[in-house]
Amino acid sequence: SDLFGTTAPTSSFEVWPNPTNGTLFWKETDFAVGTTLLIHTLDGRMVMNQKVFNASGSMNVAQLPEGWYVVTWAVNSREPVHKRLRIAR
């Protein structure tokens, strides 16, 4: 907590490899039930939405066109965590 009583959200959410061209791996050491992994284009269009049942795993992103995306780790009761992702062939 800082002087004003607020705390920055902390997360151990990781995605790799980045850039990727097929399989994206993820890990979160503070896993909670009710998690969703989302991928959006930079203009906000959701292109993938996957319920997460484990603290680590993978998803196939080979169907996504080359470019930049935002990966969001969303848990019902917490602030979402966002990571930039590049798809490159």
Side-chain angles (χ1 to χ4, degrees), residues 42-63:
L42 293 185
D43 64 3
R45 187 173 47 92
M46 185 173 52
V47 293
M48 295 190 80
N49 177 342
Q50 177 177 313
K51 291 281 185 198
V52 175
F53 300 99
N54 297 296
S56 63
S58 64
M59 64 192 310
N60 183 350
V61 295
Q63 74 278 16

Side-chain angles (χ1 to χ4, degrees), residues 6-73:
T6 60
T7 57
T10 59
S11 174
S12 57
F13 175 57
E14 299 175 43
V15 293
W16 74 93
N18 193 1
T20 187
N21 63 4
T23 301
L24 180 69
F25 296 91
W26 50 263
K27 178 176 76 170
E28 169 62 83
T29 56
D30 191 20
F31 175 74
V33 175
T35 299
T36 304
L37 194 62
L38 307 160
I39 300 181
H40 291 85
T41 59
L42 293 185
D43 64 3
R45 187 173 47 92
M46 185 173 52
V47 293
M48 295 190 80
N49 177 342
Q50 177 177 313
K51 291 281 185 198
V52 175
F53 300 99
N54 297 296
S56 63
S58 64
M59 64 192 310
N60 183 350
V61 295
Q63 74 278 16
L64 296 178
E66 276 192 316
W68 286 96
Y69 296 86
V70 176
V71 179
T72 302
W73 182 263

